Amino acid sequence: MKKITVLTDLLEANDVMAQENRRIFDRNRILTLNLMSSPGAGKTTVLEKTVEKLGKKYRLGVIEGDVATSNDAKRLAKYKIPVVQITTETFGGACHLDANMIKKALEKIDLTKVDILFIENIGNLICPAEFDLGEHKKVIVLSLTEGEDKPSKYPVVFRNADLLLVNKVDLLPFLDLDLSLLSRNAKKINPRLPSIKLSAKTEEGFSDWINWLTKQYNAKSKKRIASCGRP
Amino acid sequence: MHEMAVADGIIKIIEEKLKEQDPKAEVRKVHLKIGKLTCVEPEALRLSFEILSRETPLQKASLYIKSIPITGKCKDCRKNLRLTKLDFACPFCGSFRLEIKTGRELFIESIEIK
């Protein structure tokens, strides 16, 4: 038997490719967000409403990740924005997106015509956590019906997040849920995690999310001017 | 299903390595280091690997998995620490401001071929 050293880390290999994706986004002046949640938390509905509210101000694009079907991509395609569907059936049914899948999806989008790109990750709070896709910010969508303890149960994904969207707040009167306990649990895992409470259905709190997005986009543009504005 | 994707990644990287080094070789052992933060179950990984390696030069290979604990340093009390639970709390002072050093590995260390 002969021993061959390999010394390759799968996550590092992913990180390298994610860095490449990030450079592509930066070169094309795109703000990219990775949306993660459990199945049914409302990512696609949040995106639909976001396109309705922001679609005239910014040129938006979406990469949709699912294990099977292109139902979500169809829902978004009616807004006449670029939507690329990744179905991981062809990648062995993987439960998360990785940087390589994103890189391939980017070939199908005219990046010169996008300002903000949303990546809708596969509904899952475990596996997507450690896979950097090259995004600038990670957003978790958590719906009220999932309970207060999700940050404690899925700490890895919450620890790495930049924003928590608490969705379906219109259901609060019907649930025995302690919103402040949910916030405390999230803060324990990630003390600096900002959160926005909203309902994609009634649009309550939705303007806070739109403001957050606008702020992120502006911050990114300013950084760009600061770094390349010198004569 | 997380493990399926990981097993697939491992097989692809090793197949590339074989192409460079010894295209006719059969792999018998794969030495891995898997961090606790990656949420990879060794048994599920073995099963995925067994299924996905069929009809590849890795089909007779066994996985030797070394589990890597989550270690790091507390940014408040400055102590080096090891997490036994995924609660991300410093076992000494309870702070949640931790700098994680190990536990993220999905590392292929070496292979043994015949």
Side-chain angles (χ1 to χ4, degrees):
Chain A
M1 225 140 34
K2 188 177 141 196
K3 195 164 185 165
I4 299 178
T5 49
V6 183
L7 307 180
T8 305
D9 194 291
L10 238 56
L11 274 177
E12 268 171 30
N14 182 74
D15 288 351
V16 168
M17 208 167 280
Q19 260 331 102
E20 276 175 38
N21 290 347
R22 198 167 285 120
R23 274 195 290 273
I24 294 174
F25 297 139
D26 290 341
R27 206 185 308 131
N28 288 285
R29 307 172 170 218
I30 299 171
L31 170 71
T32 303
L33 303 166
N34 178 3
L35 265 69
M36 295 176 282
S37 81
S38 18
K43 290 187 298 297
T44 313
T45 312
V46 167
L47 280 182
E48 285 179 304
K49 279 282 155 73
T50 307
V51 177
E52 283 173 22
K53 304 269 172 204
L54 268 187
K56 289 208 173 82
K57 194 170 174 192
Y58 300 113
R59 298 168 303 170
L60 308 176
V62 178
I63 295 177
E64 266 298 331
D66 284 292
V67 175
T69 83
S70 54
N71 296 350
D72 291 354
K74 281 176 198 149
R75 279 170 65 183
L76 288 158
K78 64 173 184 275
Y79 296 99
K80 310 278 180 227
I81 58 167
V83 180
V84 178
Q85 174 80 50
I86 300 174
T87 22
T88 60
E89 278 176 318
T90 50
F91 295 93
C95 46
H96 61 265
L97 299 177
D98 66 31
N100 189 32
M101 298 178 199
I102 298 302
K103 198 176 168 211
K104 283 190 184 138
L106 291 180
E107 290 165 10
K108 297 180 190 157
I109 302 178
D110 183 352
L111 295 171
T112 59
K113 291 182 178 148
V114 175
D115 299 316
I116 303 177
L117 180 68
F118 297 94
I119 301 171
E120 186 178 335
N121 217 313
I122 294 167
N124 182 341
L125 284 178
I126 305 170
C127 314
E130 286 292 319
F131 285 82
D132 185 3
L133 306 178
E135 74 276 355
H136 299 103
K137 300 282 172 190
K138 292 181 200 285
V139 179
I140 298 185
V141 183
L142 185 75
S143 60
L144 282 193
T145 48
E146 293 168 55
E148 304 98 340
D149 61 347
K150 289 303 162 291
S152 322
K153 280 190 174 165
Y154 304 98
V156 184
V157 75
F158 281 87
R159 195 180 147 78
N160 292 331
D162 299 294
L163 176 70
L164 171 63
L165 282 186
V166 182
N167 190 22
K168 307 191 188 177
V169 287
D170 52 305
L171 293 177
L172 195 56
F174 309 104
L175 302 170
D176 298 321
L177 182 108
D178 184 347
L179 254 184
S180 67
L181 178 61
L182 171 63
S183 302
R184 284 202 303 280
N185 285 338
K187 289 272 178 214
K188 258 191 196 173
I189 299 297
N190 185 343
R192 284 170 302 182
L193 180 65
S195 69
I196 294 173
K197 297 172 190 70
L198 56 77
S199 162
K201 189 181 172 191
T202 66
E203 299 185 15
E204 178 187 345
F206 212 80
S207 56
D208 293 341
W209 158 239
I210 297 296
N211 290 341
W212 184 88
L213 277 174
T214 310
K215 213 172 121 191
Q216 298 303 320
Y217 184 78
N218 291 342
K220 202 157 164 41
S221 323
K222 259 188 210 141
K223 214 165 144 192
R224 221 173 280 133
I225 293 162
S227 61
C228 47
R230 289 193 197 101
Chain B
M1 293 306 284
H2 185 46
E3 287 78 3
M4 279 300 241
V6 172
D8 189 48
I10 291 170
I11 292 168
K12 284 195 177 121
I13 287 171
I14 294 175
E15 280 183 319
E16 280 304 307
K17 195 79 186 175
L18 285 180
K19 267 187 214 162
E20 293 166 20
Q21 301 247 348
D22 195 346
K24 284 182 189 154
E26 268 186 17
V27 180
R28 292 298 163 91
K29 290 182 182 174
V30 178
H31 296 274
L32 303 171
K33 283 183 182 169
I34 309 277
K36 288 273 189 201
L37 254 179
T38 61
C39 304
V40 167
E41 264 313 311
E43 285 321 304
L45 182 64
R46 275 184 231 279
L47 178 66
S48 308
F49 180 82
E50 193 190 307
I51 295 164
L52 293 173
S53 64
R54 282 177 196 158
E55 290 167 30
T56 77
L58 288 97
Q59 65 178 350
K60 287 183 188 158
S62 327
L63 299 184
Y64 290 77
I65 301 171
K66 192 178 173 201
S67 177
I68 305 293
I70 305 167
T71 66
K73 194 170 184 174
C74 175
K75 287 182 184 166
D76 287 319
C77 74
R78 312 297 303 160
K79 280 188 180 141
N80 289 321
L81 52 88
R82 180 177 172 149
L83 291 183
T84 47
K85 285 188 291 182
L86 277 177
D87 58 359
F88 295 101
C90 170
F92 304 103
C93 73
S95 165
F96 294 100
R97 299 196 328 119
L98 311 181
E99 185 191 328
I100 300 296
K101 285 180 183 157
T102 67
R104 258 194 106 219
E105 299 78 5
L106 279 177
F107 189 71
I108 311 167
E109 198 169 34
S110 63
I111 52 174
E112 291 178 43
I113 58 167
K114 206 165 188 179

